[in-house]
């Protein structure tokens, strides 16, 4: 098999503290050799291989791991965003607008739309992505959306419990039963994870517990949308159920933070959502200082966060959530991998997937220092 060397790396972030300086495992003047989709060697600049890519003395980081997206949808909600900027609050009910548009879109159109968003994310340095369903909301359309998603990722998530669809209006418990039975049966063959939206206006703790339990019974891993729009039971439920991740965590009590810190559940922050919905940002500093494991993700979706820019999320995390640039970069790479229970991505070590991003900058700090500037010079995903 052909070997390739990414050479003349000025500053290499490995995320392996045993390989270099600090928590990011920084190595200066380095090169990385990969064969197929795996890294086979990390060493000083000048290692030899069949092919050579010149990083030109710039900074190289692990590809971003985006552990929370809703990439499969049709339609546009730009008007809803504009109305929000004019003062209207964000409401979970907007999801139904995307459901209507997604149900009438053909398979080819949904695949084309998802491929375009996945390509956009790759150009933004995202090399691993989780994709949720949640805009189908019946057995046929949820399975269809997950089938599209599995063409783009191994980490597909069944989110039938996103909101109660119009045909079940006023019958939330009946809908939850449907999610746990017919919909789950149709979705499970296409899903690795199950998720639910635990929030006023979506599903309560008992309903979410029923959904997660049903998913666990058929072998799916668990994740939960928790504490996005207000304080509530989501985070405690995520910990109780052993979810891999509690996502959003915008409103955290001291008890929520203590529960997360004592658990393996990753708190996944989605600051582009708080930006786009004019919400407060999560208190990441308080969570990290208490020992909570954290991740950053884009939450790319048509309603609350229509962005594929992890660089933007990192900038928000540093500027408004008081994370250091090192913590934010770790959260967007290794943190995302932990939230997906993946050990093959999120770090650059021998045997890991060859997912590398060359920044048009001497240091990762520029992701924050130069906000809004496209600094992703090259994305290498699976060695290609
Ligand atoms: O993560 N919170 C629920 N789901 C999405 C929003 C989806 C939408 O508004 O379409 C989120 O923010």
């Amino acid at each position: 098999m052909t070997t390739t060397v990414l050479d003349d790396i000025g500053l290499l972030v490995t995320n392996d503290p045993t390989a270099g300086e600090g928590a990011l495992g920084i190595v200066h003047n380095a090169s990385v050799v990969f064969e197929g989709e795996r890294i086979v060697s990390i060493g000083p600049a000048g290692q030899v291989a069949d092919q050579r890519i010149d990083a030109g003395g710039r900074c190289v980081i692990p590809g971003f791991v985006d552990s929370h997206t809703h990439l499969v949808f049709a339609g546009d909600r730009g008007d809803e965003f504009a109305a929000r900027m004019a003062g209207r609050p964000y409401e979970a009910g907007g999801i139904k607008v995307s459901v209507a548009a997604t149900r009438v879109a053909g398979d080819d159109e949904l695949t084309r739309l998802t491929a375009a968003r996945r390509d956009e994310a790759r150009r933004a340095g995202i090399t691993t992505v989780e994709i949720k369903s949640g805009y189908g909301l019946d057995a046929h359309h949820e399975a269809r959306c997950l089938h599209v998603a599995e063409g783009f990722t191994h980490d597909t998530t069944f989110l039938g419990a996103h909101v109660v669809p119009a045909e079940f209006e006023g019958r939330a418990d009946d809908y939850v039963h449907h999610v746990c039975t017919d919909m789950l049966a149709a979705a499970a063959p296409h899903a690795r994870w199950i998720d639910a939206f635990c929030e006023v206006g979506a599903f309560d703790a008992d309903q979410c517990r029923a959904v997660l339990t049903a998913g666990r019974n058929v072998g799916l891993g668990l994740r939960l949308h928790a504490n996005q729009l207000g304080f509530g039971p989501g985070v405690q439920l995520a910990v109780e159920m052993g979810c891999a991740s509690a996502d959003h965590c915008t409103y955290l009590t001291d008890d929520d933070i203590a529960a997360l810190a004592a658990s393996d559940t990753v708190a996944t922050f989605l600051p582009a959502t708080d930006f786009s919905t004019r919400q407060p940002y999560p208190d990441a500093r308080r969570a990290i200082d208490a020992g909570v494991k954290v991740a950053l993700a884009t939450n790319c979706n048509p309603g609350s966060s229509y962005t594929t820019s992890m660089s933007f999320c990192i900038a928000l995390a540093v500027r408004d959530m008081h994370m250091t640039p090192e913590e934010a970069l770790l959260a967007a790479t290794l943190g995302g991998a932990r939230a997906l229970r993946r050990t093959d991505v999120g770090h650059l070590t021998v045997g890991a997937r060859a997912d590398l991003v060359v920044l048009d900058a001497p240091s990762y700090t520029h992701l924050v220092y130069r906000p809004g500037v496209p600094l992703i010079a090259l994305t290498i995903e699976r060695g290609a």
Side-chain angles (χ1 to χ4, degrees), residues 146-236:
L146 285 165
H147 181 56
V148 169
E150 68 187 344
F152 299 94
T153 183
H154 167 68
D155 285 295
T156 52
T157 301
F158 171 46
L159 181 59
H162 200 184
V163 77
V164 177
E167 57 274 24
F168 278 87
E169 190 78 54
R171 294 189 296 129
D173 284 337
D174 290 348
Y175 180 64
V176 168
H177 179 72
H178 186 47
V179 170
C180 295
T181 53
D182 297 352
M183 286 173 68
L184 179 59
H190 308 290
R192 178 174 181 223
W193 301 96
I194 189 163
D195 194 348
F197 186 9
C198 190
E199 198 74 53
V200 174
F203 299 93
D204 67 23
D206 288 342
Q207 292 164 337
C208 291
R209 188 183 290 105
V211 169
L212 295 180
T213 303
R216 182 161 60 197
N217 288 344
V218 298
L220 302 183
L222 311 184
R223 355 185 33 82
L224 191 66
H225 281 67
N227 302 41
Q228 174 182 358
L229 303 175
F231 294 103
V235 164
Q236 298 286 344

Side-chain angles (χ1 to χ4, degrees), residues 12 35 73 100 121 131 142 150 155 182 215 226 245 281 303 337 350:
L12 175 68
E35 183 172 10
F73 64 87
I131 303 179
E142 282 294 298
E150 68 187 344
D155 285 295
D182 297 352
S245 178
Y281 290 97
V350 171

Side-chain angles (χ1 to χ4, degrees), residues 337-352:
R338 286 190 179 130
L340 294 173
R341 299 290 190 252
R342 298 272 299 259
T343 55
D344 57 333
V345 295
H347 55 96
L348 300 178
T349 56
V350 171

Side-chain angles (χ1 to χ4, degrees), residues 68 70 77 90 95 135 162 197 225 228 248 273 299 301 303-304:
H68 186 134
H70 307 246
R77 286 161 61 194
Y90 174 75
I95 292 167
Y135 294 117
H162 200 184
F197 186 9
H225 281 67
Q228 174 182 358
H248 286 283
T273 316
N299 189 21
N301 78 77
S304 67

Side-chain angles (χ1 to χ4, degrees), residues 14 39 65 69 147 153 165 213 216 221 247 262 284 297 322 336 358 363:
T14 65
I39 294 174
V65 179
T69 82
H147 181 56
T153 183
T213 303
R216 182 161 60 197
D247 295 49
H322 304 283
V358 181
S363 160

Side-chain angles (χ1 to χ4, degrees), residues 319-380:
R319 164 67 175 77
D320 291 312
M321 292 157 59
H322 304 283
M323 293 170 74
T324 66
E326 290 74 21
E327 287 169 340
L329 180 57
L330 264 177
T333 51
L334 200 57
R338 286 190 179 130
L340 294 173
R341 299 290 190 252
R342 298 272 299 259
T343 55
D344 57 333
V345 295
H347 55 96
L348 300 178
T349 56
V350 171
R353 229 169 70 175
D355 291 347
L356 307 105
V357 170
V358 181
L359 299 180
D360 209 356
S363 160
Y364 54 86
T365 304
H366 282 227
L367 292 170
V368 185
Y369 171 49
R370 306 197 66 216
V373 177
L375 294 179
I376 309 299
L378 176 68
T379 304
I380 298 172

